[in-house]
């Protein structure tokens, strides 16, 4: 049994959790113990807080879901600023956190008793038609409705910090410090290109920082090395290249004809607005988790698989005592094993397909640990009032419909949804890339050449934003994008061109196996015919 204290894992067979200085934050005025380096959401979860907010209309309790800032489930008021994603803000001593929905707070929301009659008094859209004839009545009602709906109140204090403008010129801008982005920066930088890599997090590695399992593939692809180690190796390599600059906590908000706008956080009171003029841009913004439709799927305790990995493997916080995993792909299978490594029981894995989706070796491992895998089953509902207390699953027929009488209740206190990812494509849309829905690649992806250059000249993609694959493929794509960007800028000469040819050949071989068949099929639907010949 792994020892825990105050909701935090005290030991782990693989990860050595190095916690920062102990601090105190305040939730609705009550002190909460936290450690520097933890996010607000992680610290609250460790303290037993499960209800972070209430839903817009029906006052349903909401907890966090993704833990990487891609959804709005964990929004709270932090130091007077409303609608802050608490999974992206790090604790600081004395920080004041408030739930911004519910009366008196999200945990004890008395407005929820009105849910049965609210639709009769205020039908959907009524706020557009009621209380419009009197300015005073409208102002009064708008204030009440903001409180009622949980939108939060505008900050009362005027911003006192400093915000400067900095203009930067670089050969290659890489957006995203995950495996694809770091690989692109390394491979463009090593041939002499001036590279700027920016990432919204205070650390590099992207999703690698929570991958405690060993990777597959060949030795060249770092097979047998854990994801968390690969992140460190790539960062070390990155730091060894003098012409590569890294800026953490820097978020790009737009790309405008070869220029990018970004905001860099320096500290609690200072930040910088960046205007970045880049000859080439590589977008490696990763992906976000999908959810699944079932009754009570918004109940606190229903999490994305990556959210649980972040909580457990990054911050060392125990997600619960008994989990149910929905989805038997590699993520679901690996997460099951990781949970049991951390001393968390897994009741079962549920898979709608007639076969297990992930690698046999992962499935065999969790079966040896005694975890049943129910194929041709689905989750019907989560049970619980304020958080998950169980789930009901059922068998599916040939038309994917639940078979009456096959319902089974599973005892669990959290549910992990591991049903895949979708590319984080918003920046590409905004930049004007031609996009296409390709289900084999996980959703909407950009059209691109085999060198990963999109329909916008000089704009490349690498990693999950180009299509959902494994981290190894992201590293290989980043290598191709980085070298091609450098070569077309005149760096590297014949040596770089030769390596580029090798990199393209290697990724084609990597995808040649049965598991790459679907990816290859997807790529054929979004590959541009025109390419920059070198």
């Amino acid at each position: 049994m792994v020892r825990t204290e105050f909701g935090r894992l005290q030991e782990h067979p693989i990860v050595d959790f190095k916690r920062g200085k102990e601090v105190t934050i305040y939730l609705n005025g009550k002190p909460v113990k936290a450690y520097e380096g933890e996010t607000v959401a992680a610290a609250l979860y460790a303290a037993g807080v499960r209800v972070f907010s209430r839903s817009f209309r029906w006052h349903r309790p909401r907890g966090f879901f993704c833990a990487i800032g891609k959804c709005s489930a964990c929004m709270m008021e932090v130091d007077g600023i409303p609608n802050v994603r608490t999974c992206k803000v790090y604790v600081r001593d004395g920080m004041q956190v408030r739930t911004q929905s519910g009366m008196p707070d999200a945990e004890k929301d008395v407005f929820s008793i009105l849910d049965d009659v609210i639709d009769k008094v205020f039908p959907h859209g009524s706020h557009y038609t009621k209380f419009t004839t009197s300015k005073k009545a409208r102002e009064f009602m708008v204030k009440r409705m903001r409180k009622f709906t949980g939108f939060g109140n505008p900050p009362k204090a005027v911003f006192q910090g400093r915000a400067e403008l900095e203009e930067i010129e670089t050969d290659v801008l890489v957006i995203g410090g995950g495996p694809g982005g770091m690989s692109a920066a390394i491979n463009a930088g090593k041939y002499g290109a001036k590279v700027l890599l920016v990432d919204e997090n205070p650390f590099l590695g992207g999703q690698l920082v929570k991958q405690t399992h060993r990777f597959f593939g060949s030795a060249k692809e770092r097979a047998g090395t854990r994801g968390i180690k690969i992140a460190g190796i790539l960062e070390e390599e990155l730091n060894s290249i003098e012409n590569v600059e890294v800026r953490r906590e820097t978020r790009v908000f737009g790309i405008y004809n070869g220029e990018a706008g970004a905001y860099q956080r320096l500290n609690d009171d200072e930040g910088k607005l960046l205007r970045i003029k880049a000859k080439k841009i590589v977008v490696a913004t990763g992906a976000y988790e999908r959810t699944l439709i079932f009754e009570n799927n918004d109940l606190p305790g229903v999490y994305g698989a990556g959210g649980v990995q972040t909580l457990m493997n990054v911050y060392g916080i125990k997600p619960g005592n008994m989990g149910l995993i929905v989805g038997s792909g590699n993520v679901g299978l690996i997460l099951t094993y990781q949970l049991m490594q951390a001393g968390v029981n897994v009741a079962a894995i549920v898979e709608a397909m007639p076969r297990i989706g992930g690698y046999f070796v992962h499935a065999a491992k969790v079966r040896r640990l005694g975890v049943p895998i129910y194929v041709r089953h689905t989750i019907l509902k989560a049970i619980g009032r304020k958080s998950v207390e169980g789930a009901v699953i059922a068998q599916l027929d040939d038309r994917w419909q639940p078979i009456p009488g096959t319902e089974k209740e599973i005892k669990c206190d959290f549910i992990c949804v591991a049903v895949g990812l979708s590319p984080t494509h918003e920046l590409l849309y905004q930049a004007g890339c031609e996009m296409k829905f390709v289900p084999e690649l996980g959703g909407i992806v950009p059209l691109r050449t085999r060198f990963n250059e999109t329909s916008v000249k000089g704009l490349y993609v690498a990693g999950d934003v180009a299509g959902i694959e494994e981290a190894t493929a992201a590293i290989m794509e980043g290598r191709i994008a980085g070298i091609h960007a450098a070569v077309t800028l005149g760096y590297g000469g014949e040596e770089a061109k030769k390596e580029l040819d090798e990199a393209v050949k290697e990724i084609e071989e990597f995808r040649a196996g049965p598991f790459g068949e679907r990816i290859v099929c997807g790529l054929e639907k979004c590959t541009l015919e025109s390419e920059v010949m070198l």
Side-chain angles (χ1 to χ4, degrees):
M1 177 68 73
V2 175
R3 189 166 57 89
T4 61
E5 283 183 12
F6 302 106
R8 294 172 176 84
L9 300 169
Q10 299 303 304
E11 55 194 22
H12 193 280
I14 296 167
V15 185
D16 180 18
F17 299 113
K18 295 176 181 174
R19 297 192 167 89
K21 179 185 168 187
E22 184 178 324
V23 297
T24 301
I25 64 173
Y26 296 87
L27 174 64
N28 296 326
K30 295 180 180 176
V32 174
K33 179 180 176 180
Y35 292 92
E36 287 182 349
E38 291 179 344
T39 62
V40 172
L44 293 179
Y45 197 90
V49 177
R50 296 294 179 268
V51 181
F52 284 52
S53 63
R54 290 276 172 165
S55 67
F56 169 75
R57 186 167 177 81
W58 297 111
H59 307 98
R60 293 174 60 81
R62 293 274 169 81
F64 81 90
F65 179 77
C66 73
I68 55 172
K70 304 294 186 185
C71 72
S72 57
C74 65
M75 287 202 306
M76 290 184 175
E77 181 183 298
V78 178
D79 286 339
I81 301 174
N83 303 323
V84 174
R85 289 181 172 89
T86 53
C87 70
K88 297 296 292 180
V89 176
Y90 292 83
V91 298
R92 144 178 89 68
D93 196 34
M95 180 178 270
Q96 297 289 333
V97 182
R98 305 193 71 83
T99 53
Q100 59 187 36
S101 52
M103 177 62 78
D105 54 45
E107 181 69 32
K108 303 169 186 173
D109 183 17
V110 297
F111 286 151
S112 60
I113 63 175
L114 300 174
D115 287 350
D116 292 337
V117 297
I118 188 171
D119 212 39
K120 295 175 183 174
V121 181
F122 294 105
H124 188 69
S126 62
H127 54 291
Y128 292 116
T129 58
K130 292 181 183 291
F131 312 107
T132 57
T133 54
S134 165
K135 182 182 176 184
K136 287 188 177 181
R138 179 152 188 84
E139 288 176 349
F140 175 80
M141 284 307 298
V142 165
K143 286 182 180 177
R144 302 285 80 74
M145 288 167 70
R146 288 191 73 91
K147 184 69 178 174
F148 198 68
T149 55
F151 279 172
N153 296 309
K156 293 177 183 175
V158 177
F159 177 67
Q160 299 295 323
R162 290 191 300 164
E164 299 175 354
L165 172 66
E166 181 182 357
E167 293 195 3
I168 303 170
E169 291 190 13
T170 187
D171 288 328
V172 181
L173 167 66
V174 179
I175 305 170
M182 283 200 287
S183 177
I186 289 167
N187 284 285
K190 74 182 183 186
Y191 284 114
K194 184 182 177 186
V195 179
L196 172 64
L197 185 151
V198 299
D199 191 278
E200 63 181 356
N201 294 300
F203 53 82
L204 296 180
Q207 305 311 302
L208 284 176
V209 300
K210 52 193 177 191
Q211 306 302 333
T212 58
H213 62 285
R214 298 180 192 277
F215 276 41
F216 287 162
S218 67
K220 193 170 185 180
E221 294 147 6
R222 298 185 175 86
T225 308
R226 300 184 192 282
I228 49 177
K229 296 288 184 187
I230 294 174
I233 292 169
L234 290 174
E235 185 170 0
E236 210 170 285
E237 201 171 340
L238 203 59
N239 292 336
S240 69
I241 305 172
E242 289 183 357
N243 45 307
V244 176
E245 182 187 0
V246 176
R247 296 204 185 194
R248 297 172 177 79
E249 295 192 75
T250 302
R251 174 172 293 188
V252 172
F253 53 77
I255 298 172
Y256 316 93
N257 298 322
E259 294 188 15
Y263 175 77
Q264 180 182 8
R265 177 186 179 277
L266 299 176
N267 54 46
D268 289 338
D269 301 318
E270 292 180 286
K272 269 185 184 178
L273 189 64
L274 306 181
R275 180 179 181 180
I276 306 168
K277 298 178 181 177
K279 295 171 184 168
K280 305 281 183 181
I281 298 175
V282 180
V283 176
T285 47
Y288 52 84
E289 291 193 89
R290 295 178 188 161
T291 187
L292 194 65
I293 296 176
F294 58 88
E295 186 177 338
N296 279 342
N297 71 346
D298 60 344
L299 201 61
V302 178
Y303 309 128
V308 169
Q309 284 182 313
T310 301
L311 201 63
M312 181 173 61
N313 296 343
V314 177
Y315 301 112
I317 292 169
K318 191 176 179 181
N321 295 312
M322 179 69 78
L324 172 68
I325 312 297
V326 182
S328 72
N330 282 328
V331 172
L333 295 173
I334 290 169
L335 173 62
T336 300
Y337 184 68
Q338 291 175 346
L339 284 165
M340 299 194 78
Q341 274 184 324
V344 180
N345 293 316
V346 176
I349 299 173
V350 179
E351 171 59 57
M353 298 287 286
R355 61 185 178 281
I356 295 169
Y359 293 154
F360 171 78
V361 64
H362 296 318
K365 188 180 282 186
V366 298
R367 274 183 163 152
R368 282 199 300 274
L369 292 170
V371 179
I373 303 175
Y374 295 103
V375 295
R376 269 292 183 197
H377 277 69
T378 190
I379 181 171
L380 294 182
K381 69 175 180 179
I383 301 170
R385 195 170 68 86
K386 284 190 176 179
S387 62
V388 170
E389 297 169 11
V392 176
I393 66 171
Q395 191 176 348
L396 295 172
D397 62 19
D398 293 339
R399 296 186 303 168
W400 305 92
Q401 297 300 311
I403 301 173
T406 63
E407 295 86 357
K408 185 192 296 284
E409 185 170 330
I410 304 285
K411 289 289 182 188
C412 59
D413 59 357
F414 69 99
I415 297 167
C416 293
V417 180
V419 293
L421 305 169
S422 292
T424 308
H425 54 252
E426 291 80 1
L427 264 182
L428 299 172
Y429 255 121
Q430 181 272 324
C433 296
E434 285 185 57
M435 308 293 286
K436 186 175 183 181
F437 180 74
V438 182
E440 292 89 347
L441 299 181
I444 299 171
V445 295
L447 305 187
R448 86 298 293 270
T449 68
R450 65 189 173 120
F451 302 119
N452 279 7
E453 186 172 17
T454 68
S455 58
V456 175
K457 190 172 174 58
L459 182 60
Y460 295 78
V461 287
D464 280 347
V465 72
I468 307 302
E469 284 188 85
E470 294 183 21
T472 302
I475 294 171
M476 298 169 95
E477 283 191 337
R479 182 184 174 204
I480 293 170
I483 297 175
H484 191 269
V487 169
T488 51
L489 288 173
Y491 295 102
E494 292 304 315
E495 184 188 351
K497 291 178 186 176
K498 184 181 175 185
E499 186 184 348
L500 182 60
D501 289 339
E502 289 173 0
V504 171
K505 188 179 175 185
E506 283 173 13
I507 199 169
E508 287 173 352
E509 289 173 353
F510 178 78
R511 290 166 173 160
F515 284 100
E517 202 173 297
R518 182 178 169 85
I519 298 298
V520 172
C521 180
L523 290 171
E524 288 173 355
K525 298 178 181 177
C526 61
T527 300
L528 289 168
E529 291 181 2
S530 61
E531 292 183 350
V532 176
M533 302 307 293
L534 301 175

